[in-house]
Amino acid sequence: GTFHIPMPPQRADAFERARRSLLNGAANIYRVPVEQLGVVVGPPRPSRAALAAPSAKEADRPILSLVGEGIISTSADEFGGQLVDSGGTLLFNRSIPRSQNYTVFLARRQGEGWDEPHVAPFSGTWRDFDVTASPDGKRLYFISDRPLSSGKANGHYNVWRVDRTATGWGAPRPLGAPINGDWSNHFASEARDGTLYFTSDRPGSKGIVDLWASEPRGKGYSEPVNLGDAVNGEGLFNLVAAIDPAERFL
């Protein structure tokens, strides 16, 4: 089952006071230029294996840099960065205590840096995490243990959706059946054609957490399809998997 700690709504300043009062890990968000990974179509580049090898030249290694050091990347646990607004806004998670209270934060780019993050308007009360954006930027998906539309929490993590409005982001709403149900979903991302790829321990899973896909059907989704033995299997814990918009790779 899901271990849940009820949490009241909190402002960013209250969150910061709580963070300073606890010992946290040091998970942070990093940036690396894609062209340094050897996976972009174009002129030959060093492979990822070659870049990781001890014999690789130091100059050829990807250059990792903290995102918003001291502002976004801090001594707290940060994870799950998602850029929207053509890179002008970053949505990410902080957890206090570590791996318990997940809250979605939002920061806007200011010149070469970032402004002070604040709690996203749809977060701050329940465990909310792993925000992803639709390829057109009109929708956000995230995972939460908040109560469903029935007003009662079902003890599971569910996929929630937030639509962009003329004034910002609208009210979050849970995806209905057959995506959410009497099981936990852990990550969701949308392909360009609207297909939802998500990870779940739903019935029919081959492992602990499997990868599934579901196509849009009217205002809902088709019955999810397990992605099979190529990625799922006994003992496998496929917690996070984001789909390429063109569905070329996960």
Side-chain angles (χ1 to χ4, degrees), residues 48-58 61:
R48 281 174 288 176
L51 289 170
S55 60
K57 294 181 180 178
E58 194 65 32
R61 294 181 183 275

Side-chain angles (χ1 to χ4, degrees), residues 133-159:
S134 60
D136 60 10
K138 296 180 178 179
R139 294 169 297 284
L140 298 176
Y141 298 92
F142 68 97
I143 306 300
S144 179
D145 65 350
R146 65 182 63 197
L148 298 172
S149 55
S150 62
K152 295 182 179 180
N154 67 356
H156 299 289
Y157 288 120
N158 297 288
V159 183

Side-chain angles (χ1 to χ4, degrees), residues 78-231:
E78 289 97 13
F79 63 94
Q82 170 67 67
L83 289 168
V84 294
D85 301 332
S86 299
T89 301
L90 177 68
L91 293 149
F92 66 98
N93 274 99
R94 280 183 179 154
S95 71
I96 317 173
R98 188 175 185 180
S99 298
Q100 290 190 35
N101 178 358
Y102 304 133
T103 300
V104 178
F105 273 69
L106 183 153
R108 292 185 173 86
R109 190 178 292 279
Q110 295 287 344
E112 296 299 316
W114 299 90
D115 66 4
E116 284 294 331
H118 61 272
V119 178
F122 52 85
S123 190
T125 302
W126 300 84
R127 288 197 196 92
D128 307 321
F129 56 95
D130 285 340
V131 177
T132 63
S134 60
D136 60 10
K138 296 180 178 179
R139 294 169 297 284
L140 298 176
Y141 298 92
F142 68 97
I143 306 300
S144 179
D145 65 350
R146 65 182 63 197
L148 298 172
S149 55
S150 62
K152 295 182 179 180
N154 67 356
H156 299 289
Y157 288 120
N158 297 288
V159 183
W160 288 70
R161 168 176 163 169
V162 181
D163 292 335
R164 187 185 289 277
T165 69
T167 57
W169 296 104
R173 57 186 177 87
L175 300 188
I179 304 299
N180 292 329
D182 192 24
W183 50 80
S184 281
N185 299 316
H186 300 279
F187 192 90
S189 62
E190 182 186 304
R192 189 171 290 126
D193 67 356
T195 298
L196 192 73
Y197 288 77
F198 63 102
T199 64
S200 177
D201 59 14
R202 63 188 294 123
S205 293
K206 299 173 179 291
I208 300 171
V209 176
D210 277 18
L211 287 164
W212 297 77
S214 180
E215 297 178 347
R217 288 287 185 273
K219 295 184 179 180
Y221 291 92
S222 64
E223 189 64 29
V225 174
N226 188 288
L227 295 191
D229 295 337
V231 291

